[in-house]
């Protein structure tokens, strides 16, 4: 299979002289800021090739591309072979590969959560009342402490907001709601909703354990969460084999279901229903619960390795060629898991065979340019996204090109293959000068741009661009919008996809997919990368922007240090 494709790819590498002349003209005007007349002369992403990659990557042969599995390794080799055929330079640490050392941890039999209150002791049932989070450092760990509710667990000094204002979590297990206040701007809300930040904050306040209560806007069904939790979690390992983001001072972490949360709030000064309603209204209450909890976690550890795949197209401008535009897509999915409707292979066709396919075709489009752009372009297929953005985080921590030279990340996660593409949501654009870039490119493709239609889903922090944002790199995550041509109720279709296929074995090649629309999405990625690579100025955070302030170059170094020493 691979050889057949390689042969065909090779023939594409020889440019036709007439096309070449036209493309040179087009390139000239792209430099000047993008002229609509010439866009037709640029290489085009082919829907058929996209489909071919998706069919392979999402095939049962690759067993759902689970991080650290042979199926994922096959996918990684597939990508590396194509990078080689396109003539990209290898930009990993071992050729095209950057192996990521990982520890898998799974909470097992023997883990328990017991509540002790006035009415006695009550044991909660694992996977029905709660999901135990594995411990990445210790095989056995236990904590017994009083419980205190501290809203969303958010401290945002900029906004004068602090969920810990009225309570003292020192030496206690803190009960936190998912999400962040609805009064926050969407991306800021997304940032503050990330567990890493909440756990860091809890540790800083002296908490020794965390119980998470899900708010009503959580669309991720409980049974799906338990299925994924049983498979365990992963963390990347630093050169001393220490796991990142392991939070040793937290001696237990668990997520409660509705039934578990109901138990927790029996006899509480404020009812669970009231707490959840208040959270929806953006005011998260904080108070002590009349309970103590004993959380015991027994974990099994396993060493795993899984590669990122990196290929580089060298830039041509002697002044700018050391700067790098990253185009990223996660290649992993959930692998093989608990069966749903008789199928146990989580093929991840849309999530993210489609984005990986787009990465390959965008790379092909770049390689087909008669002259590479001014800046270099790094094509990066990452591992471990579904386990917590691990591959991209590892790459951003140990980049194979200087992180200061990375001018932007454009991330492709989930192509717009559900309906004809008319509208896109450029997650993250408003924070940097990438907003005008994406506006220009979208206009050229006759795509309208829409603001984030589901801020409560915090998509901006849920894919790999966020690993770059956290190191101060302006980034963009273009995603399908909720309006379409052709009388399709796109919003309903997307919600239905989220509810019935997202992270289930049914996100497979059997579902209807619009490859034309996917190719338009990929074309947008290509043109974005090209504009950024050819622009006189590298993208910059907007003045005073939240992410620029929080993670701008100086802040980035501090963040990195604290997450390692925590
Ligand atoms: Zn996913």
């Amino acid at each position: 299979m691979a050889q057949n494709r390689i042969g065909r790819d090779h023939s594409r590498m020889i440019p036709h002289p007439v096309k070449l002349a036209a493309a040179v003209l087009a390139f000239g005007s792209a430099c000047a800021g993008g002229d609509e007349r010439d866009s037709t002369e640029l290489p085009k992403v082919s829907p058929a090739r996209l489909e071919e990659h998706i069919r392979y990557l999402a095939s049962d042969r690759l067993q759902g591309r689970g991080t650290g599995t042979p199926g994922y390794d096959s996918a990684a080799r597939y990508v590396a072979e194509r990078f080689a055929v396109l003539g990209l330079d290898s930009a990993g640490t071992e050729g095209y590969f950057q192996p990521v050392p990982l520890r898998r941890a799974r909470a097992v039999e023997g883990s328990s959560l017991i509540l002790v209150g006035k009415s006695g002791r009550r044991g909660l049932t694992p996977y029905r009342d709660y999901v135990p989070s594995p411990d990445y450092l210790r095989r056995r760990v236990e904590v017994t402490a009083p419980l205190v509710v501290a809203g969303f667990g958010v401290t945002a000094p900029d906004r004068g907001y602090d969920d810990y204002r009225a309570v003292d979590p020192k030496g206690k297990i803190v009960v936190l709601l998912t999400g962040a206040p609805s009064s926050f701007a969407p991306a800021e809300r997304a940032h503050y909703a990330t567990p890493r930040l909440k756990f860091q904050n809890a540790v800083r306040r002296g908490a020794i354990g965390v119980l998470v209560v899900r708010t009503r806007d959580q669309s991720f069904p409980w049974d799906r969460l338990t299925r994924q939790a049983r498979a365990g979690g992963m963390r990347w390992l630093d050169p001393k084999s220490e796991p990142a983001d392991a939070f040793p001072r937290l001696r237990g972490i668990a997520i409660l279901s509705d039934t578990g949360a109901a138990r927790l709030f029996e006899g509480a000064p404020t009812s669970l229903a009231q707490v959840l309603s208040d959270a929806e209204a953006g005011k998260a209450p904080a108070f002590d619960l009349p309970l103590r909890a004993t959380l015991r976690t027994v974990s099994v550890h396993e060493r795993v390795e899984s590669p990122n795949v990196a290929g580089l197209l060298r830039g041509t401008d002697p002044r700018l060629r050391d700067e790098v535009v990253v185009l990223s897509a996660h290649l992993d999915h959930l692998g093989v898991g608990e069966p749903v409707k008789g199928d146990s292979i989580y093929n991840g066709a849309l999530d993210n065979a489609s984005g990986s396919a787009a990465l390959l075709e965008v790379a092909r489009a770049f390689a087909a340019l008669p002259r590479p752009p001014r800046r270099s372009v790094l094509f990066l297929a990452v591992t471990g996204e579904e386990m917590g953005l691990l591959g991209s985080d590892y790459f951003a921590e140990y980049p194979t090109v200087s992180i200061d030279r990375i001018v932007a990340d454009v991330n492709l996660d989930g192509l717009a293959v559900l309906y004809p593409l008319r509208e896109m949501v450029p997650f993250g654009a408003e924070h940097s000068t990438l907003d005008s870039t994406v506006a220009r490119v979208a206009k050229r493709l006759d795509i309208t741009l829409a603001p984030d239609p589901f801020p409560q889903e915090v998509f901006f922090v849920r894919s790999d661009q966020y690993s770059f944002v956290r190191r101060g790199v302006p980034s963009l995550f273009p995603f399908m919008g909720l309006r379409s041509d052709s009388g399709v109720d796109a919003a309903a279709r997307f919600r239905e996809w989220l509810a019935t296929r997202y992270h289930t074995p049914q996100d497979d090649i059997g579902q209807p997919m619009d490859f034309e629309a996917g190719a338009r999405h990929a074309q947008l990625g290509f043109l974005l990368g090209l504009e950024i690579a050819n622009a006189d100025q590298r993208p910059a955070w907007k003045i005073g922007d939240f992410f620029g302030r929080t993670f701008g170059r100086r802040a980035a170094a501090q963040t990195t240090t604290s997450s390692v020493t925590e």
Side-chain angles (χ1 to χ4, degrees):
M1 177 179 245
Q3 276 188 347
N4 186 354
R5 282 158 200 253
I6 288 169
R8 200 136 29 102
D9 286 355
H10 227 354
S11 65
R12 294 274 302 174
M13 286 299 294
I14 303 156
H16 187 281
V18 175
K19 274 191 196 155
L20 194 129
V24 170
L25 289 172
F27 173 72
S29 66
C31 276
D35 188 317
E36 288 170 41
R37 284 170 303 173
D38 296 313
S39 60
T40 49
E41 309 296 342
L42 288 168
K44 278 247 164 63
V45 171
S46 137
R49 284 182 184 278
L50 216 48
E51 176 174 0
E52 195 183 343
H53 296 312
I54 295 172
R55 284 194 181 279
Y56 174 70
L57 294 170
S59 66
D60 283 355
R61 276 180 62 180
L62 296 199
Q63 298 280 297
R65 306 182 308 283
T67 299
T69 65
Y72 176 88
D73 291 344
S74 297
R77 279 195 301 275
Y78 179 87
V79 170
E81 278 166 18
R82 269 135 203 88
F83 282 176
V85 165
L86 294 172
L88 301 182
D89 289 352
S90 60
T93 50
E94 296 177 11
Y96 290 103
F97 301 116
Q98 180 191 39
V100 180
L102 300 158
R103 177 174 299 162
R104 186 203 304 276
R106 219 153 36 84
V108 293
E109 198 74 29
S111 303
S112 61
L113 173 55
I114 295 159
L115 304 177
V116 184
K118 275 198 204 115
S119 52
R121 274 167 69 92
R122 298 184 87 160
L124 302 193
T125 308
Y127 299 102
R128 189 193 69 190
D129 298 327
Y130 76 102
V131 159
S133 291
D135 195 286
Y136 291 93
L137 295 160
R138 298 154 291 208
R139 294 207 161 77
R140 285 176 169 275
V141 63
E142 187 175 313
V143 60
T144 298
L147 296 172
V148 56
V149 178
F152 299 104
V154 167
T155 302
D158 271 21
R159 292 185 159 265
Y161 182 96
D162 186 7
D163 278 323
Y164 288 97
R165 196 174 352 234
V167 288
D168 179 12
K170 199 153 193 289
K172 296 177 188 167
I173 296 171
V174 68
V175 178
L176 304 180
L177 301 167
T178 52
S182 51
S183 57
F184 286 23
E188 200 168 340
R189 183 180 179 187
H191 167 72
Y192 280 111
T194 53
R196 177 193 285 114
L197 205 64
K198 293 186 178 204
F199 295 161
Q200 276 173 358
N201 198 25
V203 166
R204 208 170 292 138
R205 300 308 179 108
I208 55 173
V210 175
L211 296 179
V212 177
V213 170
R214 289 154 39 98
T215 47
R216 288 182 186 132
D217 56 16
Q218 291 291 299
S219 63
F220 207 73
W222 179 254
D223 61 335
R224 215 176 291 177
L225 191 140
T226 58
R227 276 203 302 274
Q228 281 185 224
R230 281 180 204 274
M234 287 184 187
R235 294 289 183 271
W236 57 255
L237 300 170
D238 72 11
K240 289 186 222 140
S241 288
E242 293 293 329
D245 297 319
F247 305 107
R249 278 189 245 165
L250 297 178
R251 302 183 58 80
I253 299 171
I255 304 167
L256 296 165
S257 70
D258 295 348
T259 58
R263 292 274 164 83
L264 204 65
F265 280 81
E266 278 170 20
T270 307
S271 72
L272 176 61
Q274 188 62 49
V275 166
L276 294 178
S277 306
D278 288 352
E280 263 169 87
K283 333 167 263 176
F287 50 84
D288 284 295
L289 286 173
L291 285 175
R292 295 168 71 79
T294 296
L295 181 56
R296 179 180 301 140
T297 309
V298 182
S299 307
V300 289
H301 295 164
E302 184 192 348
R303 167 83 185 223
V304 175
E305 198 172 85
S306 186
N308 292 326
V309 192
L312 187 78
L313 180 69
R314 296 246 175 239
T316 47
D317 185 323
R319 282 185 313 113
L320 298 178
R321 63 187 304 171
D322 288 341
E323 294 187 347
V324 178
V325 181
V326 174
L327 284 153
S328 57
H330 78 86
L331 187 57
D332 66 299
H333 192 58
L334 297 165
V336 176
E338 286 184 33
V340 179
K341 296 178 189 161
D343 189 356
S344 61
I345 301 174
Y346 291 64
N347 304 83
L350 190 148
D351 180 14
N352 185 31
S354 69
S356 305
L359 185 73
L360 290 172
E361 288 310 302
V362 170
R364 182 200 303 280
F366 268 99
L369 289 168
R371 187 177 151 78
R374 299 170 72 191
R375 289 185 179 79
S376 298
V377 183
L378 182 80
F379 301 93
L380 181 65
V382 293
T383 187
E385 192 269 353
E386 302 290 9
M387 308 306 283
L389 317 184
L390 299 181
S392 57
D393 193 51
Y394 187 84
F395 181 87
E397 188 70 19
Y398 303 104
T400 57
V401 295
S402 162
I403 191 81
D404 293 328
R405 302 265 185 183
I406 297 178
V407 303
D409 172 47
V410 176
N411 188 39
L412 300 163
D413 185 2
L415 275 197
V417 289
L418 294 181
Y419 32 78
L421 178 58
R422 171 179 156 203
E423 180 188 272
M424 295 217 64
V425 180
F427 286 111
E430 68 273 28
H431 301 287
S432 72
T433 54
L434 290 170
D435 65 344
S436 53
T437 315
V438 69
R440 260 197 315 277
V441 168
K443 187 161 178 261
R444 212 193 290 172
L445 293 174
D446 200 23
I447 293 169
T448 57
L449 296 178
D452 187 348
F454 9 65
Q456 74 284 0
E457 296 280 357
V458 298
F459 279 124
F460 186 56
V461 301
R462 276 169 58 183
S463 189
D464 295 301
Q465 70 283 340
Y466 195 58
S467 297
F468 291 93
V469 169
R470 288 179 56 230
R471 272 83 177 184
V473 179
S475 301
L476 193 63
F477 172 30
F479 197 74
M480 69 186 98
L482 296 188
R483 285 187 307 157
S484 177
D485 296 322
S486 71
V488 177
D489 185 345
R493 178 97 176 75
F494 181 75
R495 289 211 178 83
E496 189 226 326
W497 183 86
L498 269 189
T500 62
R501 297 192 190 266
Y502 175 61
H503 282 206
T504 74
Q506 282 68 49
D507 177 14
D508 63 12
I509 201 71
Q511 70 191 312
M513 284 198 240
D514 184 332
F515 298 106
E516 289 283 343
R520 293 213 329 127
H521 183 167
Q523 191 71 18
L524 179 97
F526 166 51
L527 296 180
L528 274 171
L530 188 60
E531 280 237 5
I532 299 166
N534 279 330
D536 290 333
Q537 301 292 326
R538 61 191 277 175
W541 297 104
K542 295 260 176 77
I543 291 168
D545 177 74
F546 171 73
F547 289 123
R549 280 198 325 267
T550 310
F551 298 120
R553 307 270 156 212
R554 224 164 258 267
Q558 288 163 11
T559 313
T560 301
T561 318
S562 75
S563 73
V564 170
T565 54
E566 200 78 83

